[in-house]
Amino acid sequence: MTAPDQPRADLLERSRALLIRTMTFYRDDPRTSAWLRGRLERLEQPLRIAVSGRVGSGKSTLINALVGQVLAPTAAEESTQVNTFYQYGPEPRITVHTPHGAVQNMPVTTLDPATIRDLQRWRPDEVSRLVIEAPAPGLQAITLIETPGVSSSAVQDTGRSALAQILAEADAVLYLTRYPQQTDVQFLQSVHELQLARRAPINTIITLSRADETGNGGGGAVAAAERIALRWRDDPVVRSFTQYAIPVIGLVAQAAATLTAEDFAALVRLRQLPEKALETLLLSSDRFANNPTPEAVPPSVRQDLVDRFGRFGLAQALTALGEGVADQKKLSAALLEASRLNDLQEAVHQQFVERQDVLRARSALLAVDMVLRANPRPGVAQLHGEFERLLANAPEWEEMRLLSALQSGQLSFPRPLQNEARRLLGAHGPSAAARLGQDPDTLEAILADEAGAALARWRDQAVNPLHDRAHRDAVRVVLRSCERLIASRMHR
């Protein structure tokens, strides 16, 4: 059994070792061994997060907001036909991969979204992958993969499921939807069909990406989106594959991340209008863009503003200016707060970036599982056995799932228990001292006493009649963490 004060990377190393053994076993199959070698090399690369969802869910807009600059082309109609990778590079670069293995580097000095859009419209049987490299700080820790829309023509025409694309390419998934529908649930269930995916449903965050359009899109739209997100997150089916459902206004987030001095100056001039005139101007997008006044902000500038900010974003920006926001940086921060992008970024950091070793281990084992299922042959019984034993002895996933539920609000205890549960599950670090709230140089005898005391407290919770089934299950997970802490002390 894995001791909790061993590094989380231990699971990754065991998964890596099994991946290498599988690759060796299939060394006489060039295609399979090359595919596994690619999965092995990925373990040393930035975490890959697929941005997926139905057509029109706002994938490109959210990618631009997360990156902090406009790279992904946005369009009302379906335009993304191939998987598009946005990754860090010291210089702008576009690489085109074909299904037959050919690679073409396109000479570029800047990354123009129009050029990327034209490439994304190639058929998937002609271009299998686009790789866009940009010197963007937002891409240093992660690579974002924009997929064709779920049930899009690109997926249907080539006979390839979005499931296969995501499992093959991503360590984690941001799933976008304008409004949750049964097709979203069915797709996400299909992503978690494999045994390992069900065992470790820790790699998905659901985003209601156009929260300002919820309902009739009025002043209560965002609050309505938040209520929908809470209901959806707590649905028994949905909670089986994710712990997060977060409303975000992608267009406002993108505008905030790319706010220019010219934007700020134009908004300041608009804010100088009388309040009544400003309210009238904001009644509709058409009125805002085409009204002959104010002459200080020409219609062409207003059209650009409404296209990039939307009416909700414009209202938020002008309100912030009216409340005393006095410079471009502060206005950008206010818009980011209004867009809820900060909430999503925090969830991505906690769920994906901070626990990337666990996610990488999951991806490595998924690769092994997929090969053993797709290409069975005599002699694989030992690999199957190792795979099953690793699954049975990987408490990291169980802990991570509960920790995510506690952090997202999907599950909660009274505050003292909540804080202790998070700590015991490794929220402040995987070592025994961190889990027990002690200094790193604390004596083993003290750690053993603290672990025993924690076990006693959580045994009391195990018989608490006020806990429902979800809380009883959570208590059992924390208890097992306490037991492993004690076991690790006994073996010293």
Side-chain angles (χ1 to χ4, degrees):
M1 182 175 290
T2 302
D5 53 341
Q6 289 180 302
R8 284 187 184 273
D10 181 60
L11 173 62
L12 176 59
E13 292 311 313
R14 287 181 289 149
S15 302
R16 187 199 308 271
L18 180 57
L19 179 59
I20 291 172
R21 285 194 290 276
T22 305
M23 187 172 66
T24 302
F25 184 80
Y26 284 93
R27 62 184 177 274
D28 60 338
D29 180 341
R31 182 175 180 181
T32 300
S33 61
W35 188 84
L36 288 169
R37 186 176 297 106
R39 297 307 169 276
L40 180 64
E41 292 170 353
R42 268 183 46 192
L43 298 181
E44 305 301 328
Q45 298 169 0
L47 198 71
R48 293 183 175 185
I49 302 176
V51 182
S52 188
R54 284 178 284 131
V55 174
S57 58
K59 299 186 296 294
S60 299
T61 301
L62 187 63
I63 286 172
N64 291 334
L66 291 170
V67 173
Q69 66 184 82
V70 177
L71 293 177
T74 57
E77 75 281 358
E78 177 186 350
S79 60
T80 303
Q81 300 288 312
V82 297
N83 286 326
T84 305
F85 287 58
Y86 295 93
Q87 63 188 46
Y88 183 83
E91 301 291 339
R93 183 179 179 183
I94 298 177
T95 307
V96 180
H97 296 252
T98 73
H100 308 295
V103 178
Q104 178 183 354
N105 293 318
M106 296 187 59
V108 294
T109 55
T110 60
L111 293 171
D112 177 21
T115 300
I116 297 172
R117 179 187 294 112
D118 290 340
L119 292 169
Q120 286 180 329
R121 286 172 172 161
W122 283 68
R123 295 197 315 271
D125 60 346
E126 297 173 312
V127 175
S128 62
R129 175 188 306 177
L130 291 176
V131 178
I132 313 299
E133 296 183 36
L139 292 172
Q140 288 182 313
I142 60 175
T143 291
L144 297 172
I145 308 172
E146 183 179 9
T147 70
V150 173
S151 300
S152 70
S153 60
V155 173
Q156 295 169 349
D157 292 346
T158 60
R160 299 181 306 171
S161 68
L163 163 65
Q165 295 174 33
I166 288 177
L167 288 182
E169 302 293 357
D171 302 303
V173 178
L174 278 179
Y175 186 83
L176 278 58
T177 178
R178 298 176 71 169
Y179 185 87
Q181 296 184 15
Q182 191 60 32
T183 53
D184 298 309
V185 176
Q186 291 170 349
F187 170 76
L188 290 168
Q189 282 181 306
S190 74
V191 171
H192 290 85
E193 281 179 350
L194 293 178
Q195 176 191 5
L196 174 56
R198 292 196 304 271
R199 176 74 173 80
I202 52 177
N203 78 325
T204 303
I205 291 176
I206 297 170
T207 301
L208 279 67
S209 54
R210 301 173 76 159
D212 57 317
E213 298 176 4
T214 305
N216 61 6
V222 177
E226 289 174 341
R227 291 192 295 270
I228 291 169
L230 289 175
R231 287 201 304 270
W232 212 41
R233 182 199 66 187
D234 294 334
D235 180 272
V237 175
V238 174
R239 70 189 301 157
S240 70
F241 50 72
T242 186
Q243 294 80 49
Y244 285 91
I246 302 172
V248 173
I249 308 166
L251 190 63
V252 178
Q254 176 183 272
T258 59
L259 184 70
T260 66
E262 291 76 14
D263 296 333
F264 182 76
L267 291 167
V268 168
R269 290 196 296 273
L270 286 168
R271 181 63 252 186
Q272 293 168 353
L273 291 173
E275 200 69 35
K276 186 67 175 177
L278 200 53
E279 290 177 3
T280 301
L281 202 60
L282 287 169
L283 286 175
S284 73
S285 298
D286 183 68
R287 183 189 294 268
F288 183 87
N290 298 319
N291 207 59
T293 59
E295 296 179 359
V297 184
S300 60
V301 174
R302 279 182 270 135
Q303 182 67 63
D304 180 64
L305 288 174
V306 78
D307 288 344
R308 291 178 49 239
F309 286 72
R311 276 203 305 142
F312 180 87
L314 286 170
Q316 291 293 315
L318 294 168
T319 297
L321 290 171
E323 292 175 350
V325 170
D327 62 54
Q328 180 182 332
K329 186 175 181 179
K330 290 181 179 178
L331 180 58
S332 179
L335 288 172
L336 280 175
E337 187 68 28
S339 75
R340 308 299 202 273
L341 184 69
N342 293 337
D343 296 338
L344 178 61
Q345 288 176 317
E346 182 179 358
V348 167
H349 185 76
Q350 291 178 342
Q351 183 76 352
F352 297 159
V353 178
E354 286 187 350
R355 300 176 192 128
Q356 57 186 291
D357 282 351
V358 180
L359 292 174
R360 292 180 197 280
R362 184 184 189 277
S363 293
L365 291 179
L366 274 172
V368 171
D369 193 20
M370 291 171 70
V371 165
L372 295 181
R373 289 172 180 273
N375 192 5
R377 54 164 61 180
V380 298
Q382 182 176 350
L383 291 173
H384 271 297
E386 289 185 52
F387 176 80
E388 294 293 340
R389 284 193 295 275
L390 216 165
L391 283 189
N393 292 282
E396 290 91 340
W397 289 321
E398 186 180 58
E399 290 183 337
M400 183 175 170
R401 182 179 183 180
L402 176 54
L403 186 56
S404 298
L406 293 172
Q407 289 174 329
S408 71
Q410 189 180 66
L411 192 71
S412 64
F413 289 100
R415 185 174 295 275
L417 283 176
Q418 179 93 350
N419 292 338
E420 183 177 38
R422 292 181 66 252
R423 180 165 44 75
L424 288 168
L425 293 167
H428 305 310
S431 70
R435 288 172 184 257
L436 294 167
Q438 302 297 312
D439 293 331
D441 56 354
T442 300
L443 295 175
E444 280 296 321
I446 296 176
L447 292 178
D449 288 344
E450 289 295 328
L455 180 64
R457 285 193 296 273
W458 285 91
R459 279 179 173 165
D460 289 341
Q461 292 301 316
V463 295
N464 186 336
L466 299 179
H467 287 327
D468 59 15
R469 179 177 177 178
H471 285 81
R472 288 195 300 272
D473 291 344
V475 169
R476 282 193 286 270
V477 174
V478 179
L479 267 176
R480 287 193 285 269
S481 294
C482 293
E483 290 166 353
R484 286 192 295 273
L485 281 168
I486 291 175
S488 68
R489 311 272 71 73
M490 293 174 63
H491 288 94
R492 290 180 179 274

